[in-house]
């Protein structure tokens, strides 16, 4: 197991306000880390740092031994879900093809190798059935599968997924997390998986990075998801209940309950 | 019978094919211009639709009109004026309006300013009235040899430019976040696109007129997107639709005393309507199929 991503004493914030500070994190190949935290705690921003799109306040972020940079194709990215709108001239396979060679100049030249690569990626996420369906008429779950295939197209060493389960029903949540899990085992990928509910991926997670209150905790789910650790992290009495293999966190204080009512609900 | 009589007069003003044989050779330049414009409009329209920039196109064409009108007033080249106006507008909208909401307000601010400026220049201009009217609603036989050359050169720049940046532009227009993560220079793509759009608008303004640019830069692509979702077929269909509309427009306009633009806009609209009807049938077919399991 080699280290793919390393953050050292990393701090980030915007407009003089810190999101998190002193973050030390190592992601090894084949390791799946869940990134948890309330809305606005800086989870997406962490991924942007790794993508080289946002600069750290201080500390360092290195990917495969060199400082992170923009447009490194060895990082796969599945952004926070946005459904494709009408008026996009793409079908399922075209979205995946953009992952293969969308960064190259010119118009795509059809070739057998290209078609095979796209077919192989489509079948790796079980999306052959809607390869030729317009993107805009696919469901959220179907689009998410295609996005994962697109992210895997460039043989990445690290996969960043930003809330890939958001607004999916339970069967699709399981399906998409299985896909990510299979991919990281098959390709020996490091994975940062941002989610606000750990349960759909609980049995796959190696470690948890929980961000709250400008601070964080890192460890296995058993180490982090406890009443003591989370109460200390949130500076408030939080109760963690384990029930039927699920983790329920009650009493998480929310700075903005009006906008994010789901964060205050017992999960 | 007076009603029928006057109807007949109106009809022969709209459609009049006597002397058609002699007219056609005179139209050579205009037909070439229309083919070229159709190709450029059809291609760039696909990205205008993807990037949701129809309103911005309208804004750019009003500033292009202002530039052209100012050149008419000061006796400069209309092509240069149209180019300056549309490039300025396209870059302003591109830079100040990176986000969709900003873009709409920047466009809405620029558009009446451009239109007003253009009307002021035309008001002060005492040359041929046909020139004035033409910038707003299009002109026909007025294309002379130097003008056609510049139109073809500019159009070629747009077409070649689009082909060169096609894939990264498609990627950036589909999902800018992922494209950026994949190393596509997303910011550069949007500036390059705005420049190409500005050039395409400047060419269109001189043929269909500022008020009707959308009929060649948006309608054909919108029609194509109704009947296909293939990244190969949509640009091909869109280009075909735009060429049919513009060349069909000039062939019909040739015999009449009416400007070219109503013909282009009508054909363009008819194509769109047809595609919409086809797509209604297509989607109603699809929704009767069982939803596939996922
Ligand atoms: N580019 C930026 N400029 C200024 N503020 C930003 C920027 N990106 C994110 N933020 C702010 O940082 C905070 C964390 O955002 P984000 O990382 O998206 O949170 P999360 O993904 O955990 O919900 C939010 O308050 C957001 O408004
Ligand atoms: Mg987020």
């Amino acid at each position: 197991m080699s280290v793919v991503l390393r953050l050292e004493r990393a701090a980030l914030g915007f407009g003089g306000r810190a999101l998190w500070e002193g973050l030390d994190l190592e992601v090894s190949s084949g390791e799946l880390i869940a990134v948890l935290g309330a809305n606005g705690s800086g989870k997406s921003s962490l991924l942007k740092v790794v993508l080289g799109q946002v600069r750290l306040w201080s500390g360092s972020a290195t990917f495969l031994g060199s400082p992170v940079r923009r447009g490194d194709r060895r990082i796969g990215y599945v952004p926070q879900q946005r459904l494709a709108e009408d008026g996009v001239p793409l079908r399922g396979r075209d979205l995946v093809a953009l992952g293969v060679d969308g960064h190259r100049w010119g118009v795509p030249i059809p070739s057998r190798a290209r078609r095979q690569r796209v077919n192989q990626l489509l079948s790796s996420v079980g999306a052959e059935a809607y390869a030729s369906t317009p993107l805009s008429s696919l469901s959220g779950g179907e689009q998410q599968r295609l996005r994962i295939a697109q992210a895997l197209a460039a043989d990445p060493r690290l996969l960043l997924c930003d809330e890939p389960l958001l607004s999916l029903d339970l069967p699709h949540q399981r399906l998409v997390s299985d896909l990510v899990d299979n991919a990281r085992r098959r390709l020996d990928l490091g994975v940062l998986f941002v989610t606000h509910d750990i349960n759909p991926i609980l049995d796959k997670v190696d470690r948890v990075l929980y961000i709250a209150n400008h601070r964080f905790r890192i460890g296995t789910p058993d180490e982090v998801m406890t009443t003591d650790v989370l109460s200390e992290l949130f500076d408030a009495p939080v109760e963690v209940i384990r029930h039927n293999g699920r983790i329920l966190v009650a009493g998480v204080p929310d700075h903005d309950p009006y906008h994010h009512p789901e964060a205050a609900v017992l999960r | 019978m007076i009603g029928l009589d006057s109807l007949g007069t109106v009809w022969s003003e709209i459609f009049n094919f006597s002397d058609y044989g002699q007219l056609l050779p005179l139209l050579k330049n205009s037909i070439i211009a229309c083919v070229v414009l159709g190709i450029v409009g059809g291609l760039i329209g696909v990205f205008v639709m993807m990037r949701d920039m129809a309103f911005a196109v309208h804004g750019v064409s009003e500033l292009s009109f202002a530039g052209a009108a100012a050149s008419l007033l000061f006796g400069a080249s209309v092509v240069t004026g149209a180019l300056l106006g549309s490039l300025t507008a396209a870059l302003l909208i591109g830079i100040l309006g990176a986000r969709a909401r900003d873009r709409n307000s920047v466009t809405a601010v620029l558009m009446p300013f451009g239109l007003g400026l253009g009307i002021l220049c035309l008001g002060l201009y005492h040359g041929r009235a046909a020139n004035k009217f033409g910038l707003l609603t299009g002109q026909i036989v007025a294309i002379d040899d130097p003008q056609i050359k510049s139109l073809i050169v500019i159009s070629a720049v747009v077409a070649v430019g689009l082909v060169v940046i096609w894939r990264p532009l498609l990627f950036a227009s589909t999902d800018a976040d992922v494209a950026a993560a994949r190393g596509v220079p997303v910011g550069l793509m949007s500036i390059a696109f705005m420049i190409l759009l500005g050039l395409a608008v400047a060419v269109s303004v001189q043929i269909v007129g500022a008020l009707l640019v959308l009929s060649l830069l948006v309608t054909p692509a919108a029609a194509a997107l109704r009947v296909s979702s293939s990244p190969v077929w949509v640009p091909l269909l869109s280009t075909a639709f735009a060429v049919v509309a513009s060349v069909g427009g000039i062939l019909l306009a040739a015999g009449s005393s009416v400007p070219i633009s109503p013909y282009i806009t009508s054909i363009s609209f008819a194509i769109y309507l047809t595609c919409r009807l086809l797509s209604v049938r297509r989607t109603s077919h699809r929704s009767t199929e069982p939803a596939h399991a996922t």
Side-chain angles (χ1 to χ4, degrees):
Chain A
M1 286 237 290
S2 57
V3 173
V4 214
L5 177 72
R6 175 178 284 130
L7 289 147
E8 283 174 309
R9 294 180 312 282
L12 178 71
F14 294 102
R17 209 170 49 92
L19 286 172
W20 32 261
E21 290 168 293
L23 179 60
D24 287 304
L25 175 69
E26 277 184 4
V27 184
S28 304
S29 55
E31 186 182 29
L32 195 153
I33 298 186
V35 183
L36 298 170
N39 278 321
S41 55
K43 306 182 296 294
S44 298
S45 303
L46 170 65
L47 301 192
K48 294 267 163 66
V49 166
V50 178
L51 290 170
Q53 294 175 1
V54 167
R55 285 172 71 102
L56 287 170
W57 268 359
S58 61
S60 66
T62 49
F63 172 64
L64 297 176
S66 40
V68 292
R69 60 178 174 85
R70 277 183 98 96
D72 194 320
R73 276 186 272 283
R74 294 167 302 176
I75 300 180
Y77 179 43
V78 180
Q80 210 153 330
Q81 191 187 8
R82 198 172 345 138
L83 284 174
E85 295 152 34
D86 272 346
V88 173
L90 297 175
R91 300 154 305 176
R93 60 180 313 111
D94 305 314
L95 188 79
V96 177
L98 282 177
V100 175
D101 59 12
H103 56 283
R104 301 241 180 90
W105 299 108
V107 289
I109 312 292
S111 75
R112 176 179 297 196
R114 185 173 188 268
R115 200 168 50 244
Q116 275 174 354
R117 177 76 179 128
V118 171
N119 286 342
Q120 176 202 346
L121 288 161
L122 283 167
S123 72
S124 77
V125 298
E128 302 102 319
Y130 38 89
S132 304
T133 311
L135 217 50
S136 51
S137 44
L138 294 177
S139 75
E142 292 167 334
Q143 292 195 18
Q144 204 62 292
R145 282 207 242 178
L146 291 168
R147 280 161 182 270
I148 290 170
Q150 186 191 44
L152 297 176
D155 291 322
R157 300 293 313 281
L158 176 68
L159 184 62
L160 308 176
C161 301
D162 202 347
E163 313 239 21
L165 308 181
L166 208 66
S167 73
L168 299 187
D169 55 20
L170 227 65
H172 276 102
Q173 290 191 356
R174 201 161 301 132
L175 220 148
V176 167
S177 28
D178 282 346
L179 275 180
V180 173
D181 189 40
N182 289 340
R184 65 122 171 187
R185 289 177 198 284
R186 192 161 41 90
L187 307 169
D188 204 24
L189 285 174
V191 180
L192 281 180
F193 195 105
V194 174
T195 176
H196 56 245
D197 182 10
I198 192 176
N199 286 305
I201 50 165
L202 188 54
D203 55 333
K204 298 161 178 103
V205 166
D206 295 309
R207 286 191 295 157
V208 171
L209 164 64
Y210 207 124
I211 309 177
N213 261 347
H214 316 302
R215 296 178 303 201
F216 59 91
R217 283 291 179 282
I218 301 175
T220 63
D222 286 339
E223 289 165 355
V224 175
M225 306 303 285
T226 68
T227 298
D228 289 347
V229 170
L230 290 192
S231 295
E232 197 203 321
L233 183 62
F234 280 103
D235 231 344
V238 168
E239 195 169 346
V240 177
I241 304 154
R242 284 185 171 255
H243 180 69
N244 278 349
R246 285 168 60 82
I247 297 181
L248 308 171
V249 181
V252 169
D254 194 12
H255 44 260
D256 193 3
Y258 189 78
H259 281 107
H260 314 297
E262 80 276 10
V265 182
L266 178 121
R267 279 197 257 275
Chain B
M1 284 298 104
I2 294 171
L4 262 188
D5 253 6
S6 59
L7 204 67
T9 322
V10 170
W11 181 259
S12 67
E13 272 190 48
I14 302 179
F15 297 105
N16 181 353
F17 296 106
S18 54
D19 309 326
Y20 204 69
Q22 284 117 323
L23 263 174
L24 271 188
L26 299 178
L27 289 179
K28 201 186 93 210
N29 277 353
S30 304
I31 293 175
I32 295 173
C34 281
V35 171
V36 165
L37 179 59
I39 294 172
V40 163
L43 288 180
I44 206 157
V46 176
F47 292 106
V48 171
M49 289 299 293
M50 283 188 83
R51 300 172 82 88
D52 197 10
M53 294 194 82
F55 187 50
V57 169
H58 203 41
V60 171
S61 52
E62 303 318 343
L63 254 90
S64 188
F65 159 68
S71 331
L72 210 54
L73 176 62
F74 296 114
S77 142
V78 172
V79 179
T80 315
L83 270 178
L84 277 179
S86 63
L87 284 178
T88 311
L91 286 175
L92 276 178
I93 292 173
I95 292 164
L96 300 178
R99 285 177 305 155
R101 181 194 292 266
D102 295 346
R103 187 161 69 228
N104 280 346
S105 54
V106 170
T107 308
V109 167
L110 283 179
M111 198 164 67
F113 170 69
L115 204 51
L117 200 66
I119 289 172
L120 174 71
C121 294
L122 288 191
L124 297 172
Y125 174 70
H126 296 297
R128 264 183 61 207
N131 288 347
K132 289 190 185 185
F133 205 46
L135 286 180
L136 276 172
T137 60
Q139 49 202 333
I140 167 171
V141 236
I143 299 170
D144 53 26
D145 275 335
Q147 202 180 2
I148 186 92
K149 264 193 208 114
S150 67
L151 293 187
I152 289 176
V153 169
I154 298 170
S155 301
V157 169
V158 177
V160 171
L162 275 179
V163 167
V164 168
I165 65 171
W166 192 272
R167 236 181 319 189
L169 183 61
L170 188 73
F171 203 172
S173 309
T174 308
D175 193 333
D177 288 338
V178 182
R182 277 301 166 89
V184 172
V186 174
L188 181 71
M189 282 301 120
S190 51
I191 295 298
F193 173 71
M194 289 313 285
I195 291 175
L196 296 177
L197 180 64
L199 295 176
V201 168
V203 175
S204 319
V205 161
Q206 294 169 57
I207 296 171
V208 284
L211 296 178
L212 304 162
V213 164
L214 291 180
S215 66
L216 281 183
L217 260 56
V218 171
T219 316
L225 280 165
R226 281 272 147 193
V227 291
S228 174
S229 291
S230 147
V232 177
W233 280 108
V234 167
L236 289 180
L237 282 175
S238 169
T239 307
F241 293 163
V243 170
V244 166
S246 59
V247 175
I250 199 144
L251 292 180
L252 290 180
S256 75
S257 54
V258 181
I260 180 177
S261 42
Y263 298 94
I264 295 185
T265 52
S266 303
I267 298 175
S268 190
F269 184 66
I271 291 173
Y272 177 78
L273 223 52
T274 311
C275 290
R276 244 201 118 105
L277 287 176
L278 285 174
S279 81
V280 168
R281 291 190 44 196
R282 208 168 61 128
T283 43
S284 65
H285 263 292
R286 194 186 301 141
S287 60
T288 56
E289 287 166 16
H292 39 238
T294 48

